[in-house]
């Protein structure tokens, strides 16, 4: 009380107290304002990101650390679409989610328009890796031309072509934001090594180059043609595709490596799906983990003079057993007409080309 009355009686003290009070309340208000803003931003962030991993990945790749940095120029596009109906699932004939809650992507289960809007907001950059070693350069034309029609249309794409025959790579014209990068690599003598060494090369170029250039990688076979859209619905932290020859089969029919001496060994009582060797991907960090595991496992087996039954495919299947993919592509994404046209396969998006073995073998 004494201090109070003293202050009131001293004009200089009074002025000082008034200023201090004003400053204090200004800071408090500003504090709450900032807090409210942050809350709002966080809320917006949650609404806008369908896939948390997507955004965080992008922020890493653009060299920023904060999730909130995306919100500098948030847009709120209006998209019209029919509301989902809990009692009316779009597919009842196939499994559309795994027990670890990874979506299995089938025709009819997603809305490309919504997904495109989400991925355009982060300006996603996708790398498509493909190997054209020795005579397999002959597949490139169809592969790239069909990809320009159907692969990630409207998005940024880098085609990474690994080849030993740089001067056999044709010229292509690309849509805006898309280009081809030719990477010269050695051709191994044994065809098994040609396919298996893809893991090592993808790993090394991911570390050296891809991590700086793209957010996601899709790593596929070249003896293929795109016949229907393959877009951002495939993207996730780490993804694989159901092999068209095994999605209807039981565990004991899967052609996993069954010799316990191999590091690709999977006993008959284990296994979720049989994944195709010619289609996997994810964010760069996950692709590095996957390819590094597969390459090292192959090298360990090589030391013991053992090579898994289906080469890289066997090691990939072993990896996915312990590191479950966060998204799985239905066989629409890697079909082969050898397996006919079952009713559940509504579209053949990416189709194996019949090879005349005598023409491509070495
Ligand atoms: C047998 O003589 C060969 S050659 C088996 C694979 C070969 C091969 C594979 C090749 O000479 N050059 C080449 O670039 N590859 C790459 O490996 C190419 O990207 C191909 O799509 C991928 C897997 O081989 P593949 O497509 O022949 O395997 P499948 O028959 O299982 O689709
Ligand atoms: Mn193939």
């Amino acid at each position: 009380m004494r201090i109070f009355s003293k202050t009131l009686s001293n004009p200089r003290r009074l002025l000082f107290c008034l200023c201090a009070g004003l400053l204090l309340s200004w800071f408090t208000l500003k504090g709450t304002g900032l807090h409210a803003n942050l809350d709002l931003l966080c809320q917006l962030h949650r609404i806008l990101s369908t896939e948390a991993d997507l955004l965080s990945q992008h922020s890493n790749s653009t060299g920023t650390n904060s999730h909130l940095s995306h919100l500098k120029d948030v847009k709120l596009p209006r998209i019209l679409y029919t509301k989902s109906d809990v009692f009316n699932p779009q597919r009842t004939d196939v499994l559309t989610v795994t027990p670890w809650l990874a979506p299995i992507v089938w025709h009819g289960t997603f809305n490309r328009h919504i997904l495109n809007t989400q991925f355009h907001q982060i300006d996603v950059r996708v790398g498509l890796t493909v190997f054209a070693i020795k005579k397999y350069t002959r597949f490139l034309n169809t592969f790239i031309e069909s990809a320009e029609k159907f692969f990630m249309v409207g998005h940024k794409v880098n085609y990474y072509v690994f080849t030993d025959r740089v001067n056999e790579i044709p010229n292509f014209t690309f849509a805006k934001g898309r280009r081809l990068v030719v990477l010269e690599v050695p051709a191994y003598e044994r065809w098994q090594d040609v396919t298996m060494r893809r893991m090592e090369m993808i790993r090394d170029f991911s570390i050296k180059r891809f991590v700086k250039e793209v957010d996601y990688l899709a790593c596929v076979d070249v003896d293929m043609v795109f016949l229907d859209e393959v877009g951002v619905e495939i993207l996730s932290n780490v993804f694989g595709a159901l092999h068209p020859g095994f999605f209807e089969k039981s565990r004991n029919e899967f052609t996993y490596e069954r010799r316990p001496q191999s590091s690709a060994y999977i006993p008959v009582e284990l296994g979720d799906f049989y994944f195709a060797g010619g289609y996997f991907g994810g964010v760069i960090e996950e692709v590095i983990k996957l390819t590094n595991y597969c390459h090292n496992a192959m090298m360990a087996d090589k030391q013991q003079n053992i090579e898994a039954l289906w080469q890289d495919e066997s090691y990939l299947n072993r990896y996915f057993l312990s590191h479950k993919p966060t998204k799985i592509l239905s066989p629409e994404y890697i079909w082969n007409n050898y397996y006919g046209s079952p009713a559940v396969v509504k579209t053949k998006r990416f189709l194996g080309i019949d090879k005349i073995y005598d023409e491509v073998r070495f």
Side-chain angles (χ1 to χ4, degrees), residues 291-316:
T291 50
N292 186 49
Y293 165 82
C294 291
H295 177 63
N296 289 341
M298 287 182 225
M299 290 299 107
D301 275 7
K302 196 180 167 71
Q303 287 288 311
Q304 303 187 69
N305 259 326
I306 188 164
E307 187 172 275
L309 182 63
W310 288 103
Q311 298 87 34
D312 39 301
E313 186 168 85
S314 305
Y315 298 92
L316 180 71

Side-chain angles (χ1 to χ4, degrees), residues 132 134 137-138 140 161-172 180 182-185:
K134 296 185 190 176
T137 50
R138 70 187 56 203
L140 260 183
V161 175
F162 294 74
T163 187
D164 59 324
R165 298 184 179 182
V166 174
N167 45 24
E168 280 184 22
I169 308 302
N171 281 326
F172 299 96
L180 185 136
V182 179
L183 305 166
E184 192 169 7
V185 292

Side-chain angles (χ1 to χ4, degrees), residues 1-15 17:
M1 241 5 226
R2 270 193 59 203
I3 289 175
F4 188 62
S5 58
K6 250 183 158 181
T7 307
L8 282 182
S9 62
N10 181 335
R12 282 176 70 186
R13 273 196 187 165
L14 182 65
L15 197 66
C17 283

Side-chain angles (χ1 to χ4, degrees), residues 282-345:
V283 297
I284 312 301
E285 193 188 322
E286 287 299 325
V287 172
I288 294 171
K289 268 167 59 184
L290 180 158
T291 50
N292 186 49
Y293 165 82
C294 291
H295 177 63
N296 289 341
M298 287 182 225
M299 290 299 107
D301 275 7
K302 196 180 167 71
Q303 287 288 311
Q304 303 187 69
N305 259 326
I306 188 164
E307 187 172 275
L309 182 63
W310 288 103
Q311 298 87 34
D312 39 301
E313 186 168 85
S314 305
Y315 298 92
L316 180 71
N317 272 283
R318 179 63 192 83
Y319 181 81
F320 279 151
L321 176 64
S322 305
H323 303 262
K324 308 282 191 220
T326 54
K327 194 177 264 184
I328 294 178
L329 310 179
S330 72
E332 296 161 15
Y333 289 85
I334 184 160
W335 193 254
N336 193 305
N337 280 336
Y338 176 78
Y339 302 108
S341 303
V344 292
V345 177

Side-chain angles (χ1 to χ4, degrees), residues 130-137 139 162 191-192 194-196 198 220-224 243 278 310 312-313 336 355 357 360-362:
V130 84
F131 285 70
I133 307 282
K134 296 185 190 176
K135 294 180 181 172
Y136 275 56
T137 50
F139 294 110
F162 294 74
W191 68 262
Q192 292 89 340
V194 169
T195 78
M196 287 200 297
R198 291 185 289 176
V220 300
D221 269 13
V222 73
D223 55 339
M224 306 286 298
H243 192 296
W310 288 103
D312 39 301
E313 186 168 85
N336 193 305
K355 288 182 289 250
Y357 275 96
V360 292
R361 278 224 172 100
F362 55 86

Side-chain angles (χ1 to χ4, degrees), residues 253-289:
E253 292 173 283
F254 290 167
T255 53
Y256 291 149
E257 174 54 59
R258 300 298 191 188
R259 290 167 295 176
Q261 311 91 281
S262 169
S263 44
Y265 170 59
I266 301 179
V268 280
E269 67 276 15
L270 296 183
D272 304 296
F273 303 99
Y274 190 80
F275 294 98
Y279 209 135
F280 64 85
V283 297
I284 312 301
E285 193 188 322
E286 287 299 325
V287 172
I288 294 171
K289 268 167 59 184

